[in-house]
Amino acid sequence: MTDFTYAVDADGVATITWDLPGKSMNVLSLEGLRELNDHIDTALADDAVKGVIITSGKKDFAGGMDLNVIAKMKEAAGDNPAKGLFEGVMQMHAVLRKIERAGMDPKTLKGGKPVAAALPGTALGIGLEIPLACHRIFAADNPKAKIGLPEIMVGIFPGAGGTTRLARKLGAMAAAPLLLEGKQNDPKKAKAAGVINEVVPADELLAAAKAWVLSATDADLVKPWDAKGYKMPGGAPYTPQGFMTFLGASAMVHGKTMGVYPAAKALLSAVYEGALVPFDTALRVEARWFTHVLMNPSSGAMIRSLFINKEALEKGANRPEAPDQTVKKVGVIGAGMMGAGIAYVSANAGIEVVLIDATHEAADRGKAHSEGILDKGMKRGRVTAEKKAEVLGRITATTDYAALAGCDLIVEAVFEDPKVKAEVTAKVEAAVGPDCIFATNTSTLPISDLAKASTRPDQFIGIHFFSPVDKMLLVEIIKGRETGDRAVAKALDYVRQIRKTPIVVNDARFFYANRCIIPYINEGMRLVGEGTNPVLVENAARLVGMPLGPLQLVDETSLDLGAKIAKATKAAMGDAYPDGAVDDIVFWMVDQGRLGRKAKAGFYAYDEAGKRTGIWPGLADRFPRAEDQPELTEVQHRLLFVQVLEAVRALEAGVLTDIREGDVGAILGWGFAPWSGGPFSWLDIIGAARAVEICDRLAAAHGERFAAPALLREMAAKGDSFYGRFGPEAKAA
Ligand code: NAD
């Protein structure tokens, strides 16, 4: 395989072109790194070569590192994976440092060969770390290109010098959003941020880079940190200004991550410690922290769920065989909160939308929701007036079902009432062609029951969005008993069009996401009912990586919705209903008018502007705090185990058929502790045996809801892991 090609032109400029055969995007493998190294050696050794351009033969420069590299490095040193990683990372540093020094005399800093990076499009991760080692970075004026270091989003950090170079180039403060939040910019913004040097028209990219290479002087090649008297912009840690930055950054990182993301802390340590030592030592420091992060099981689990598995699901890992089902015209019935959002994301993806409600006013209000989102985008400079007109032009707001003619997909989002839904189903089926797929956005009603109102239940399916629709990335697709393959393929193709991540589950009470999240909320309220300090409950959740504590979450989703769901569940389950203790609290709160954030009164107190001001003091009058408060870990175990045990039960019952969907769905659907990689990844990290031990203890102390499912017990006995037993490799074997 040849990942990089090498050519020297008549003017003595060598061009190293990255172009992975048979792939649409370049990623760096160990073989690729060796090739790049060899080409650099050739260029530096050849007296006829005056300078080098590193570019790409594709429309983008590179998407990042081939993720197998990490596994290969770990294996390289046999039973000492940390050594293999550290040495592998140091090899990358050596290649990039060679580019940066480019043969110059280390004392006089003279005699090096200029190396320019020419980026035709997106340059992410190692795809930016290589350019950062070059002497000048040119990018084509391509507004679609993304330039950045997104590693932190999958639980690692830029470990090929990107951290050290960017912090030294921009200063810790300016580099923080790029490193700690993985912020990606288009070329113009990347230039404004000081990440790259030049933005030029695409057809002048190579010429501009070449002109610079041929005119560069010795001084142009010396990085600030290699020059005498280098001072870190914004101040190194031991200057008064730098001291404030690092102190603030440390508190900010801890505040944002609650200390559960090892990568953010390690990144900050690498920058801080690196800033105290010379550049080459700083690279070693970065490599040590990078190794430390890669050895933490959280990073592997995050990469697997948030990168590999998420992408596999988006590419249709569980799509049944069926011809292309790209949606051309979608009918959205019900223009309320959900329908309006569904209309927007569909129209924004280029799909024609008919948005129907019972009255013209309601339909128009639904369409106005799109206008509101687009206006906000315009204010931020992300949406043009043409784009706004185009998207709004795709939405027809009406009460007339005849407008649905020609729709190939319907998404129903009317009131959560089986009678209303049945009426709507019949009306829709009378108006659309025989091939149209009908999807319901119900959050609680069984799909198989709703499908009874349909004359073609094989074309009836659940497409469950999360609120707010334009922000939430997950869509849960639910198969009813009779749902056919084409309906599933349609739903998956639609979710791909609107650029969200799908999971496909079987029909059961609350499907998957709500099935796990409701017990979490209930456990939080149960703890309060038992006299646990609500502040302890909320902080325990946040400190284990949940984005919202259970009480805040119920305030957001509203107590009256909770009461409604509780009543319906009780009616359906009869004596088996397990949550009587929780209902005491929910119904009492509703009686007090404390419906949550929308009422500016819930478990939290709110000010006039709707901002939380702390736990509502009246709560303690009705549910006095017990003298003995539980241990933090005990509360955390209760809050996590009610969720993960429900996920295991969903797998056991065949609601989930793929643990990848269970993990990705949990993180994207309800924010389940992303550092863990999801419920199944977390159970694999602690091990089934330890999980069962905790379950036994919790069940004895707090009840049967913590009883270990038979599957988990069996796995503990056999020493199985979820990914070992149910992962894609195991399935393929
Ligand atoms: P909503 O009350 O905001 O909107 C419902 C809309 O349907 C209203 O505009 C109403 O006028 C319209 N409607 C009612 N009967 C109709 C009929 N016969 N014909 C045409 N339009 C009719 O409710 P929502 O929150 O948007 O929820 C809609 C559906 O989505 C429900 O099934 C709900 O369970 C589900 N859902 C809600 C959420 C959420 O967070 N709110 C999340 C996922 C799914």
Side-chain angles (χ1 to χ4, degrees):
M1 293 281 265
T2 314
D3 294 359
F4 291 86
T5 56
Y6 180 83
V8 183
D9 70 11
D11 299 311
V13 176
T15 302
I16 299 176
T17 306
W18 196 354
D19 199 354
L20 240 65
K23 293 272 159 70
S24 59
M25 180 67 98
N26 290 323
V27 290
L28 192 71
S29 62
L30 287 178
E31 295 73 34
L33 182 72
R34 269 192 288 277
E35 280 181 35
L36 176 64
N37 182 49
D38 291 348
H39 293 319
I40 292 292
D41 279 344
T42 308
L44 295 181
D46 184 349
D47 287 341
V49 170
K50 298 198 177 75
V52 181
I53 298 171
I54 302 179
T55 190
S56 155
K58 304 192 190 294
K59 70 178 177 36
D60 292 310
F61 183 66
M65 193 62 115
D66 175 348
L67 289 165
N68 295 317
V69 166
I70 295 171
K72 282 193 184 159
M73 284 180 180
K74 273 189 180 170
E75 285 157 17
D79 56 1
N80 192 346
K83 183 165 183 274
L85 279 169
F86 180 73
E87 285 171 356
V89 173
M90 285 309 291
Q91 271 166 22
M92 286 197 301
H93 282 321
V95 178
L96 268 58
R97 192 67 174 135
K98 188 189 292 177
I99 294 174
E100 190 160 55
R101 300 294 255 178
M104 68 180 71
D105 180 316
K107 287 227 169 70
T108 64
L109 304 180
K110 288 192 192 325
K113 293 185 183 182
V115 184
L119 316 178
T122 289
L124 294 174
I126 189 80
L128 180 58
E129 291 183 294
I130 294 172
L132 282 170
C134 297
H135 304 119
R136 200 154 181 90
I137 308 175
F138 294 80
D141 186 6
N142 171 357
K144 287 210 174 125
K146 290 184 193 157
I147 295 181
L149 299 167
E151 285 85 343
I152 198 81
M153 322 275 275
V154 290
I156 55 176
F157 70 81
T163 296
T164 301
R165 286 195 174 87
L166 211 57
R168 290 195 177 214
K169 191 169 174 166
L170 306 181
M173 187 79 105
L178 302 159
L179 293 173
L180 284 168
E181 292 162 25
K183 190 169 188 265
Q184 300 172 19
N185 288 309
D186 65 27
K188 283 201 174 121
K189 288 202 183 112
K191 184 181 171 196
V195 178
I196 64 170
N197 305 101
E198 307 268 3
V199 180
V200 296
D203 54 358
E204 294 168 23
L205 178 67
L206 291 178
K210 180 172 168 177
W212 180 84
V213 164
L214 290 174
S215 65
T217 63
D218 278 338
D220 291 333
L221 314 191
V222 181
K223 290 290 173 69
W225 44 89
D226 284 327
K228 260 217 169 74
Y230 165 76
K231 286 208 167 56
M232 193 165 171
Y238 44 81
T239 63
Q241 206 188 352
F243 169 76
M244 297 299 286
T245 306
F246 279 94
L247 200 67
S250 173
M252 191 193 80
V253 166
H254 200 80
K256 277 200 175 170
T257 64
M258 294 288 163
V260 291
Y261 293 90
K265 269 202 228 176
L267 184 149
L268 206 56
S269 298
V271 172
Y272 177 90
E273 292 168 18
L276 301 174
V277 292
F279 187 79
D280 286 295
T281 315
L283 289 180
R284 286 183 78 81
V285 170
E286 187 193 287
R288 291 216 186 280
W289 279 113
F290 191 48
T291 303
H292 174 81
V293 165
L294 292 178
M295 290 301 294
N296 188 310
S298 161
S299 71
M302 279 181 82
I303 291 174
R304 185 174 60 199
S305 290
L306 292 173
F307 195 84
I308 301 172
N309 292 347
K310 179 173 170 286
E311 200 174 276
L313 299 179
E314 285 163 1
K315 285 194 172 153
N318 292 324
R319 186 185 186 280
E321 284 285 330
D324 178 35
Q325 296 292 321
T326 302
V327 176
K328 293 185 189 71
K329 183 175 173 187
V330 64
V332 180
I333 322 295
M337 187 167 93
M338 297 306 288
I342 296 165
Y344 166 72
V345 295
S346 305
N348 197 43
I351 304 171
E352 199 187 328
V353 179
V354 177
L355 179 59
I356 291 192
D357 205 295
T359 64
H360 272 292
E361 294 72 44
D364 288 341
R365 223 179 304 126
K367 182 169 173 177
H369 174 73
S370 291
E371 193 165 2
I373 299 177
L374 291 160
D375 282 341
K376 260 193 218 153
M378 277 177 74
K379 264 193 205 134
R380 294 200 187 123
R382 287 199 194 133
V383 175
T384 60
E386 298 79 66
K387 164 97 179 172
K388 177 183 161 186
E390 219 176 84
V391 174
L392 289 178
R394 285 192 199 112
I395 305 177
T396 306
T398 179
T399 56
D400 182 9
Y401 279 68
L404 297 175
C407 280
D408 50 331
L409 174 70
I410 300 293
V411 183
E412 168 277 302
V414 298
F415 297 141
E416 190 73 338
D417 177 334
K419 255 213 220 122
V420 180
K421 289 194 188 288
E423 277 167 30
V424 166
T425 308
K427 270 168 97 174
V428 167
E429 289 188 355
V432 297
D435 292 338
C436 181
I437 301 291
F438 188 102
T440 170
N441 181 46
T442 180
S443 33
T444 55
L445 303 168
I447 304 301
S448 307
D449 290 354
L450 293 179
K452 287 183 187 146
S454 169
T455 53
R456 33 203 195 221
D458 59 318
Q459 289 174 211
F460 195 100
I461 193 164
I463 301 186
H464 180 214
F465 284 85
F466 294 80
S467 174
V469 178
D470 59 311
K471 300 241 165 64
M472 296 297 284
L473 299 171
L474 187 75
V475 177
E476 196 171 15
I477 294 170
I478 305 113
K479 290 197 276 188
R481 252 192 312 277
E482 295 179 60
T483 303
D485 280 355
R486 195 173 66 83
V488 177
K490 186 93 193 170
L492 281 166
D493 290 359
Y494 170 60
V495 172
R496 199 185 52 226
Q497 276 175 280
I498 59 173
R499 290 185 289 275
K500 294 196 184 285
T501 309
I503 62 171
V504 182
V505 302
N506 285 312
D507 200 11
R509 179 176 303 285
F510 301 133
F511 318 131
Y512 174 58
N514 285 339
R515 174 186 184 137
C516 300
I517 194 74
I518 292 171
Y520 169 65
I521 290 175
N522 284 352
E523 197 64 24
M525 293 195 284
R526 207 186 284 266
L527 277 154
V528 172
E530 291 169 10
T532 308
N533 189 333
V535 176
L536 173 58
V537 174
E538 295 292 87
N539 284 341
R542 301 288 312 280
L543 286 168
V544 83
M546 294 299 294
L548 301 185
L551 305 177
Q552 188 184 341
L553 189 56
V554 69
D555 266 13
E556 296 290 331
T557 51
S558 92
L559 274 294
D560 47 331
L561 178 66
K564 209 172 136 195
I565 293 176
K567 274 187 201 149
T569 314
K570 197 169 178 174
M573 293 184 75
D575 288 346
Y577 182 68
D579 290 322
V582 178
D583 291 354
D584 291 348
I585 306 176
V586 176
F587 293 123
W588 180 77
M589 289 287 283
V590 172
D591 282 347
Q592 304 297 305
R594 301 205 67 90
L595 304 184
R597 194 159 72 101
K598 65 180 181 185
K600 292 183 191 159
F603 282 101
Y604 283 83
Y606 295 79
D607 65 14
E608 268 313 298
K611 199 168 165 253
R612 281 187 312 282
T613 54
I615 294 289
W616 173 48
L619 193 59
D621 298 338
R622 174 70 178 74
F623 300 101
R625 316 265 150 89
E627 202 141 293
D628 276 340
Q629 290 292 313
E631 290 286 327
L632 175 71
T633 326
E634 176 80 359
V635 179
Q636 289 178 321
H637 276 158
R638 285 178 64 173
L639 292 174
L640 278 189
F641 269 91
V642 282
Q643 300 175 71
V644 299
L645 291 181
E646 216 40 61
V648 175
R649 288 182 201 118
L651 178 69
E652 222 174 15
V655 174
L656 274 178
T657 55
D658 184 338
I659 55 169
R660 295 179 296 177
E661 295 182 312
D663 275 351
V664 173
I667 298 176
L668 300 187
W670 75 92
F672 180 87
W675 63 267
S676 69
F680 297 103
S681 290
W682 184 61
L683 286 170
D684 277 356
I685 289 174
I686 64 171
R690 167 106 177 99
V692 166
E693 207 182 289
I694 299 172
C695 286
D696 287 345
R697 201 173 44 70
L698 290 176
H702 305 291
E704 274 305 291
R705 66 189 179 285
F706 290 109
L711 172 65
L712 191 64
R713 213 172 269 290
E714 182 208 321
M715 288 175 61
K718 288 187 179 157
D720 281 353
S721 70
F722 281 97
Y723 275 86
R725 180 157 161 179
F726 300 105
E729 287 88 17
K731 270 191 178 172

